[in-house]
Amino acid sequence: MIAFAPAAVLLLLFLVSVRADRRRFRNAVLLGLTLIWTSIGVLFLIPSLPPLLGVVAVALILLVPALGTLVLAGFLVGNGITMLRREGRSPANLLSLAAGTGIFGLIGLVAYVADRGSPAMDAAVGGLVLLVAYVSFLFVCFLAYAFLYARTPVRGDVDFVVVLGSGLLGGERVPPLLASRLEKGLRLQAAQAARGGRVPLLLASGGKGSDERVSEARAMADWLLAQGAAPELVQLEDRSRTTDENLAFSREVMEAEAGPDYRCVVVTNNFHAFRAAMTARKAGVNGQVVGSPTARYFWPSATIREFVAVFWEHRVVNLVVCGAIAAATAVAAVLAG
């Protein structure tokens, strides 16, 4: 069982880190490393397993990820086409199509180079594969932990339900994406009241964009009032332009209203929940983040966009690692040539 020692240590670090704060990206990385070392431990055990069980273990650890990569690439290409049809040709809507095409392209490049017999080319493509593997590892970590984070219940009563704004339709109307957040906020408020707790304030957070007639907070508040929310239980934060400002300015409102010991829950869409939680931690917001439903076809591209943002937020470490891989690849290609 010594083969599982690294996985056990990493699991312990993961649990300690999550207990300290669920909103850190390092939790995602520790979870990914735990799964990798668990897989390595299983591979060491294969010689001592019954033949059928050994075959199953190898298939799960090696074959399933390989086939899963092909399935994922096909799914992303299909989703990208759907995004173009339904949402238009903006760069953000091209992300899933670009990712799926890139996976197929890399597979084709590896197959092509394998028959060339060029050590320098092999080294260059090997470096590219390592680079993609590093980014893919981080993406899988992000995806797996975001999935777990979104399913962690909020315990106890809160003083505020903060609903983060998004763009308005026609500069004044709440779009379906934002309506989903507001509906979730109303349900959280009603659920706390139903179990006998104090009724939390709904804090609509969002300023007025250059192409908007009213602030997002005002449009959100009007939507909530139209749905039957009590006016005295709806509050506005109407200065913010970004998620960072949403959370920083909402924190100021909550501290002014209830003092530094307030508790809150922040509502956004499910694809945005983990990154918003990371931002909330940096802003010093005392609360967790929950996600509201998003159209299924919209989720893949939106999730990739969230990962790109997280990757860039940690750009110092990521660029150092990517630079080291690129430098090592260049040296290996020169030596091979």
Side-chain angles (χ1 to χ4, degrees), residues 248-325:
F249 294 159
S250 293
R251 175 190 173 188
E252 293 178 6
V253 171
M254 291 185 288
E255 288 183 342
E257 183 76 23
D261 294 329
Y262 73 89
R263 290 191 72 238
C264 75
V265 60
V266 180
V267 182
T268 185
N269 288 93
N270 50 16
F271 64 83
H272 185 234
F274 181 40
R275 185 162 76 92
M278 294 167 59
T279 305
R281 183 187 68 81
K282 290 189 293 184
V285 173
N286 183 22
Q288 300 296 332
V289 180
V290 298
S292 64
T294 306
R296 291 184 179 180
Y297 77 88
F298 190 83
W299 184 85
S301 283
T303 300
I304 294 172
R305 186 170 68 245
E306 292 298 302
F307 169 71
V308 171
V310 171
F311 185 90
W312 188 247
E313 286 173 8
H314 297 81
R315 55 187 172 276
V316 174
V317 172
N318 289 326
L319 292 179
V320 167
V321 173
C322 291
I325 293 174

Side-chain angles (χ1 to χ4, degrees), residues 221-256:
D222 290 343
W223 190 96
L224 290 167
L225 295 176
Q227 299 301 312
E232 66 275 14
L233 295 176
V234 178
Q235 200 161 356
L236 278 67
E237 179 288 299
D238 58 4
R239 296 183 294 151
S240 55
R241 301 291 185 89
T242 65
T243 301
D244 286 21
E245 291 183 353
N246 280 142
L247 292 162
F249 294 159
S250 293
R251 175 190 173 188
E252 293 178 6
V253 171
M254 291 185 288
E255 288 183 342

Side-chain angles (χ1 to χ4, degrees), residues 109-276:
L109 178 62
V110 171
Y112 173 80
V113 170
D115 293 333
R116 300 302 101 185
S118 170
M121 190 177 293
D122 289 344
V125 173
L128 178 61
V129 170
L130 283 176
L131 196 61
V132 172
Y134 171 72
V135 176
S136 299
F137 166 72
L138 292 181
F139 178 69
V140 171
C141 291
F142 172 79
L143 201 63
Y145 187 73
F147 178 84
L148 292 178
Y149 181 87
R151 281 151 184 78
T152 304
V154 177
R155 295 182 176 85
D157 289 347
V158 297
D159 304 297
F160 299 90
V161 177
V162 182
V163 184
L164 303 184
S166 64
L168 301 177
L169 287 175
E172 59 184 348
R173 290 180 290 115
V174 170
L177 196 73
L178 182 52
S180 174
R181 301 181 186 187
L182 294 167
E183 289 169 355
K184 179 77 171 183
L186 283 172
R187 288 198 299 270
L188 290 170
Q189 184 189 60
Q192 182 165 310
R195 64 173 180 263
R198 58 183 178 276
V199 183
L201 290 175
L202 284 165
L203 179 55
S205 177
K208 180 177 178 294
S210 58
D211 59 342
E212 294 173 336
R213 299 176 185 176
V214 298
S215 70
E216 293 170 6
R218 180 70 268 165
M220 293 160 69
D222 290 343
W223 190 96
L224 290 167
L225 295 176
Q227 299 301 312
E232 66 275 14
L233 295 176
V234 178
Q235 200 161 356
L236 278 67
E237 179 288 299
D238 58 4
R239 296 183 294 151
S240 55
R241 301 291 185 89
T242 65
T243 301
D244 286 21
E245 291 183 353
N246 280 142
L247 292 162
F249 294 159
S250 293
R251 175 190 173 188
E252 293 178 6
V253 171
M254 291 185 288
E255 288 183 342
E257 183 76 23
D261 294 329
Y262 73 89
R263 290 191 72 238
C264 75
V265 60
V266 180
V267 182
T268 185
N269 288 93
N270 50 16
F271 64 83
H272 185 234
F274 181 40
R275 185 162 76 92

